[in-house]
Amino acid sequence: MQDIYDDHGDVEDTLHEWVQGHKKQVHLLTGLQFSNMHLRAKKDTVFTETAKKGVYFSFIGSKAIQSVDDIHSVQIHYQKDVISGQFSMKQFEERSLLQVVISTEYLSLILGQTEDQVIQHFTSMEQILGNTDPYITLPLTRTVSKLCESMLNHTGLSISLAGHIYACMFTLIEQIQMLKHLSECEGCQSKLFKAQNLLEVPAGKVLDLDELAFSVGLNIDALSIGFMHLVGQSIESYYQRIRIAFAAEKLRKDPNAKPHIIKQSGFSEEQFESVFTQHFGVNSTQYRQIH
């Protein structure tokens, strides 16, 4: 991967036929690195990547990350050894991430713990919360979103950027602890399933997280974190799928009522077609012809 980019972090001119993108990297302090990367394959391509030791806080997107709206989830992973491996990308596939990498030695200093304690903490949390993945997945909560916005919009001295990054890392570490509690607490899980049941009956309006959290008795971050862990997708994605499936069922029964169905769905006409195609692989007109 290091051979792809020039000194400015842009893809080398000689590789534009194969891939486009950027990797803007900032080495803030010894043991702390911040980067913003985007890749788009123009042809089927296999990349070789090397990952160094440390704790990785990765904010995942499917297109170039310019604002928090371009981030859909967070992954936390402890990499115990330097490792090299390959990954492939199909033509027109895109991958993006905003990433903080910190050494366990440096993280132990700012947390006031020994390095062994830090390593043990992240290792055990991955085993408990990672399911089948070698990392912990969190949604982009409202709290972390605001912190990410500060990181993305930062234009001052690097030391102040480090401050934003610390705040974000500490919050994510707290959210891992919150997730552990949610995964073990039957009362909290009951509240999360109640939230899922409420979402199963779409009300034809934009999702109100504050209202949903209040109705089940959880704060918004806990609701978002626990829901993704139990259901496997964010509340927003789940609710969107429910609404579009509900609209598709109505469309099958009464194709001529499409304008009314779109209005009831809570989407604009443009949003409706975009989400419909995303979920069913065809637009609503083609869907009506098939069904």
Side-chain angles (χ1 to χ4, degrees), residues 34-86:
F34 175 69
S35 58
N36 188 334
M37 187 185 79
H38 172 243
L39 278 178
R40 182 178 185 271
K42 292 185 173 180
K43 299 180 180 180
D44 291 358
T45 310
V46 177
F47 300 90
T48 299
E49 175 74 293
T50 299
K52 61 184 181 181
K53 295 191 292 184
V55 182
Y56 287 69
F57 298 86
S58 303
F59 304 86
I60 313 299
S62 55
K63 61 180 181 179
I65 298 175
Q66 298 176 338
S67 73
V68 292
D69 293 332
D70 300 321
I71 300 172
H72 58 69
S73 63
V74 185
Q75 293 177 356
I76 299 103
H77 171 61
Y78 164 59
Q79 180 62 46
K80 67 177 181 178
D81 297 304
V82 176
I83 186 172
S84 294
Q86 292 184 331

Side-chain angles (χ1 to χ4, degrees), residues 227-289:
F227 194 93
M228 174 172 272
H229 183 71
L230 289 179
V231 180
Q233 56 186 301
S234 69
I235 293 175
E236 293 83 358
S237 296
Y238 187 84
Y239 188 56
Q240 185 181 80
R241 180 178 64 81
I242 292 294
R243 287 164 68 199
I244 206 67
F246 191 64
E249 178 63 27
K250 287 186 174 182
L251 201 59
R252 282 198 297 269
K253 293 178 179 178
D254 188 0
N256 295 324
K258 180 180 174 181
H260 180 65
I261 292 169
I262 292 177
K263 186 176 180 180
Q264 280 191 323
S265 72
F267 294 109
S268 69
E269 187 170 353
E270 184 179 353
Q271 289 173 330
F272 183 87
E273 291 299 341
S274 175
V275 174
F276 201 100
T277 302
Q278 177 185 338
H279 282 272
F280 295 103
V282 295
N283 62 39
S284 61
T285 301
Q286 293 170 318
Y287 182 86
R288 285 185 294 169
Q289 292 170 349

Side-chain angles (χ1 to χ4, degrees), residues 86-192:
Q86 292 184 331
F87 67 93
S88 60
M89 291 179 64
K90 297 292 185 182
Q91 185 179 28
F92 306 132
E93 182 181 353
E94 294 187 65
R95 294 190 182 188
S96 298
L97 60 83
L98 195 70
Q99 190 172 73
V100 174
V101 183
I102 185 167
S103 70
T104 51
E105 179 183 10
Y106 188 54
L107 185 56
S108 68
L109 288 175
I110 60 178
L111 289 176
Q113 298 179 334
T114 67
E115 187 175 4
D116 285 344
Q117 286 175 322
V118 169
I119 291 172
Q120 176 59 35
H121 174 76
F122 282 98
T123 301
S124 63
M125 285 299 183
E126 283 187 5
Q127 292 172 345
I128 296 169
L129 304 173
N131 295 323
T132 59
D133 298 315
Y135 50 79
I136 300 166
T137 299
L138 295 172
L140 186 70
T141 63
R142 186 177 295 179
T143 302
V144 174
S145 179
K146 291 178 181 177
L147 295 169
C148 280
E149 192 171 0
S150 298
M151 289 159 53
L152 282 166
N153 295 335
H154 179 269
T155 56
L157 299 174
S158 60
I159 191 67
S160 60
L161 174 57
H164 295 313
I165 290 172
Y166 292 156
C168 193
M169 285 193 301
F170 296 157
T171 300
L172 288 170
I173 290 170
E174 290 175 354
Q175 290 190 348
I176 291 173
Q177 290 293 132
M178 182 186 294
L179 176 55
K180 182 176 183 295
H181 169 77
L182 292 165
S183 69
E184 297 171 342
C185 175
E186 292 185 3
C188 291
Q189 290 177 23
S190 176
K191 294 176 181 179
L192 291 166

